[in-house]
PDB file of all heavy atoms in Angstrom:
ATOM      1  N   LYS A  44      20.307 -10.699 -14.710  1.00  0.00           N
ATOM      2  CA  LYS A  44      20.930 -11.600 -13.729  1.00  0.00           C
ATOM      3  C   LYS A  44      19.896 -12.071 -12.689  1.00  0.00           C
ATOM      4  O   LYS A  44      19.903 -13.225 -12.255  1.00  0.00           O
ATOM      5  CB  LYS A  44      22.064 -10.823 -13.039  1.00  0.00           C
ATOM      6  CG  LYS A  44      23.050 -11.684 -12.315  1.00  0.00           C
ATOM      7  CD  LYS A  44      24.288 -10.866 -11.970  1.00  0.00           C
ATOM      8  CE  LYS A  44      24.846 -11.311 -10.630  1.00  0.00           C
ATOM      9  NZ  LYS A  44      25.889 -10.397 -10.141  1.00  0.00           N
ATOM     10  N   THR A  79       6.088   8.738  11.249  1.00  0.00           N
ATOM     11  CA  THR A  79       5.735   8.231   9.926  1.00  0.00           C
ATOM     12  C   THR A  79       5.430   6.745  10.049  1.00  0.00           C
ATOM     13  O   THR A  79       6.314   5.941  10.359  1.00  0.00           O
ATOM     14  CB  THR A  79       6.889   8.467   8.932  1.00  0.00           C
ATOM     15  OG1 THR A  79       7.138   9.875   8.865  1.00  0.00           O
ATOM     16  CG2 THR A  79       6.526   7.957   7.548  1.00  0.00           C
ATOM     17  N   LEU A 144       0.034   1.803  19.461  1.00  0.00           N
ATOM     18  CA  LEU A 144      -0.095   3.230  19.774  1.00  0.00           C
ATOM     19  C   LEU A 144      -1.558   3.662  19.830  1.00  0.00           C
ATOM     20  O   LEU A 144      -1.989   4.302  20.778  1.00  0.00           O
ATOM     21  CB  LEU A 144       0.657   4.062  18.727  1.00  0.00           C
ATOM     22  CG  LEU A 144       0.634   5.570  18.921  1.00  0.00           C
ATOM     23  CD1 LEU A 144       1.246   5.958  20.272  1.00  0.00           C
ATOM     24  CD2 LEU A 144       1.375   6.263  17.789  1.00  0.00           C
ATOM     25  N   ALA A 162     -11.891  -3.880  28.548  1.00  0.00           N
ATOM     26  CA  ALA A 162     -12.332  -4.119  29.927  1.00  0.00           C
ATOM     27  C   ALA A 162     -11.972  -5.544  30.344  1.00  0.00           C
ATOM     28  O   ALA A 162     -11.438  -5.776  31.431  1.00  0.00           O
ATOM     29  CB  ALA A 162     -13.840  -3.887  30.049  1.00  0.00           C
ATOM     30  N   ARG A 207     -18.831  14.023  23.039  1.00  0.00           N
ATOM     31  CA  ARG A 207     -19.550  14.604  24.197  1.00  0.00           C
ATOM     32  C   ARG A 207     -19.796  13.551  25.269  1.00  0.00           C
ATOM     33  O   ARG A 207     -19.770  13.840  26.451  1.00  0.00           O
ATOM     34  CB  ARG A 207     -20.885  15.194  23.735  1.00  0.00           C
ATOM     35  CG  ARG A 207     -20.784  16.617  23.208  1.00  0.00           C
ATOM     36  CD  ARG A 207     -22.140  17.296  23.169  1.00  0.00           C
ATOM     37  NE  ARG A 207     -23.044  16.723  22.167  1.00  0.00           N
ATOM     38  CZ  ARG A 207     -23.055  17.084  20.868  1.00  0.00           C
ATOM     39  NH1 ARG A 207     -22.233  18.023  20.426  1.00  0.00           N
ATOM     40  NH2 ARG A 207     -23.885  16.524  20.027  1.00  0.00           N
ATOM     41  N   ALA A 213     -15.563   3.325  29.530  1.00  0.00           N
ATOM     42  CA  ALA A 213     -14.643   3.373  30.671  1.00  0.00           C
ATOM     43  C   ALA A 213     -13.264   2.819  30.340  1.00  0.00           C
ATOM     44  O   ALA A 213     -12.281   3.183  30.973  1.00  0.00           O
ATOM     45  CB  ALA A 213     -15.261   2.595  31.834  1.00  0.00           C
ATOM     46  N   HIS A 223      -8.373   9.704   6.461  1.00  0.00           N
ATOM     47  CA  HIS A 223      -7.634   9.224   5.275  1.00  0.00           C
ATOM     48  C   HIS A 223      -8.613   9.329   4.117  1.00  0.00           C
ATOM     49  O   HIS A 223      -9.564   8.558   4.039  1.00  0.00           O
ATOM     50  CB  HIS A 223      -7.155   7.785   5.479  1.00  0.00           C
ATOM     51  CG  HIS A 223      -6.579   7.165   4.234  1.00  0.00           C
ATOM     52  ND1 HIS A 223      -5.350   7.520   3.718  1.00  0.00           N
ATOM     53  CD2 HIS A 223      -7.079   6.241   3.384  1.00  0.00           C
ATOM     54  CE1 HIS A 223      -5.118   6.822   2.611  1.00  0.00           C
ATOM     55  NE2 HIS A 223      -6.152   6.042   2.390  1.00  0.00           N
ATOM     56  N   VAL A 242      -8.226  20.428  12.303  1.00  0.00           N
ATOM     57  CA  VAL A 242      -7.660  21.390  13.252  1.00  0.00           C
ATOM     58  C   VAL A 242      -8.786  22.103  14.015  1.00  0.00           C
ATOM     59  O   VAL A 242      -8.741  22.240  15.238  1.00  0.00           O
ATOM     60  CB  VAL A 242      -6.736  22.395  12.518  1.00  0.00           C
ATOM     61  CG1 VAL A 242      -6.352  23.554  13.430  1.00  0.00           C
ATOM     62  CG2 VAL A 242      -5.479  21.682  12.009  1.00  0.00           C
ATOM     63  N   VAL A 245     -10.104  19.739  16.597  1.00  0.00           N
ATOM     64  CA  VAL A 245      -9.190  19.610  17.744  1.00  0.00           C
ATOM     65  C   VAL A 245      -9.417  20.781  18.701  1.00  0.00           C
ATOM     66  O   VAL A 245      -9.561  20.593  19.913  1.00  0.00           O
ATOM     67  CB  VAL A 245      -7.708  19.590  17.288  1.00  0.00           C
ATOM     68  CG1 VAL A 245      -6.775  19.701  18.496  1.00  0.00           C
ATOM     69  CG2 VAL A 245      -7.397  18.319  16.510  1.00  0.00           C
ATOM     70  N   ASP A 259      -3.859  12.383  13.107  1.00  0.00           N
ATOM     71  CA  ASP A 259      -3.420  11.418  12.093  1.00  0.00           C
ATOM     72  C   ASP A 259      -4.053  11.799  10.759  1.00  0.00           C
ATOM     73  O   ASP A 259      -5.273  11.766  10.605  1.00  0.00           O
ATOM     74  CB  ASP A 259      -3.848  10.011  12.530  1.00  0.00           C
ATOM     75  CG  ASP A 259      -3.392   8.926  11.564  1.00  0.00           C
ATOM     76  OD1 ASP A 259      -3.087   9.250  10.397  1.00  0.00           O
ATOM     77  OD2 ASP A 259      -3.362   7.751  11.966  1.00  0.00           O
ATOM     78  N   GLU A 278       7.018  19.691  -0.324  1.00  0.00           N
ATOM     79  CA  GLU A 278       5.906  20.649  -0.335  1.00  0.00           C
ATOM     80  C   GLU A 278       4.771  20.157   0.575  1.00  0.00           C
ATOM     81  O   GLU A 278       4.207  20.916   1.373  1.00  0.00           O
ATOM     82  CB  GLU A 278       5.402  20.769  -1.791  1.00  0.00           C
ATOM     83  CG  GLU A 278       4.219  21.684  -1.985  1.00  0.00           C
ATOM     84  CD  GLU A 278       3.625  21.550  -3.393  1.00  0.00           C
ATOM     85  OE1 GLU A 278       4.201  20.834  -4.253  1.00  0.00           O
ATOM     86  OE2 GLU A 278       2.550  22.147  -3.625  1.00  0.00           O
ATOM     87  N   ILE A 283       1.583  21.043   5.254  1.00  0.00           N
ATOM     88  CA  ILE A 283       0.834  20.411   6.340  1.00  0.00           C
ATOM     89  C   ILE A 283       1.400  20.844   7.689  1.00  0.00           C
ATOM     90  O   ILE A 283       0.642  21.195   8.603  1.00  0.00           O
ATOM     91  CB  ILE A 283       0.861  18.876   6.190  1.00  0.00           C
ATOM     92  CG1 ILE A 283       0.007  18.467   4.984  1.00  0.00           C
ATOM     93  CG2 ILE A 283       0.356  18.191   7.460  1.00  0.00           C
ATOM     94  CD1 ILE A 283       0.138  17.021   4.593  1.00  0.00           C
ATOM     95  N   ALA A 327       2.862 -12.344 -22.056  1.00  0.00           N
ATOM     96  CA  ALA A 327       3.943 -12.518 -21.079  1.00  0.00           C
ATOM     97  C   ALA A 327       3.594 -13.633 -20.100  1.00  0.00           C
ATOM     98  O   ALA A 327       2.460 -14.124 -20.070  1.00  0.00           O
ATOM     99  CB  ALA A 327       4.169 -11.207 -20.335  1.00  0.00           C
ATOM    100  N   ALA A 338      -6.208  -4.026 -14.605  1.00  0.00           N
ATOM    101  CA  ALA A 338      -7.539  -4.627 -14.750  1.00  0.00           C
ATOM    102  C   ALA A 338      -8.552  -3.995 -13.799  1.00  0.00           C
ATOM    103  O   ALA A 338      -9.703  -3.774 -14.143  1.00  0.00           O
ATOM    104  CB  ALA A 338      -7.461  -6.135 -14.504  1.00  0.00           C
ATOM    105  N   GLY A 364      -1.384 -11.327 -20.147  1.00  0.00           N
ATOM    106  CA  GLY A 364      -0.797 -12.416 -19.378  1.00  0.00           C
ATOM    107  C   GLY A 364      -1.503 -13.738 -19.633  1.00  0.00           C
ATOM    108  O   GLY A 364      -2.252 -13.867 -20.600  1.00  0.00           O
ATOM    109  N   CYS A 367      -7.232 -16.509 -17.997  1.00  0.00           N
ATOM    110  CA  CYS A 367      -8.347 -16.661 -18.931  1.00  0.00           C
ATOM    111  C   CYS A 367      -9.446 -15.644 -18.634  1.00  0.00           C
ATOM    112  O   CYS A 367     -10.530 -15.989 -18.143  1.00  0.00           O
ATOM    113  CB  CYS A 367      -8.871 -18.083 -18.872  1.00  0.00           C
ATOM    114  SG  CYS A 367      -7.548 -19.228 -19.265  1.00  0.00           S
ATOM    115  N   SER A 369     -10.591 -11.551 -20.302  1.00  0.00           N
ATOM    116  CA  SER A 369     -10.210 -10.471 -21.220  1.00  0.00           C
ATOM    117  C   SER A 369      -9.694  -9.242 -20.477  1.00  0.00           C
ATOM    118  O   SER A 369      -9.076  -8.368 -21.076  1.00  0.00           O
ATOM    119  CB  SER A 369     -11.381 -10.111 -22.130  1.00  0.00           C
ATOM    120  OG  SER A 369     -11.588 -11.200 -23.011  1.00  0.00           O
TER     121      SER A 369
END
Side-chain angles (χ1 to χ4, degrees):
K44 197 166 145 190
T79 300
L144 181 59
R207 275 197 292 275
H223 171 73
V242 169
V245 170
D259 182 340
E278 178 190 354
I283 290 170
C367 302
S369 291

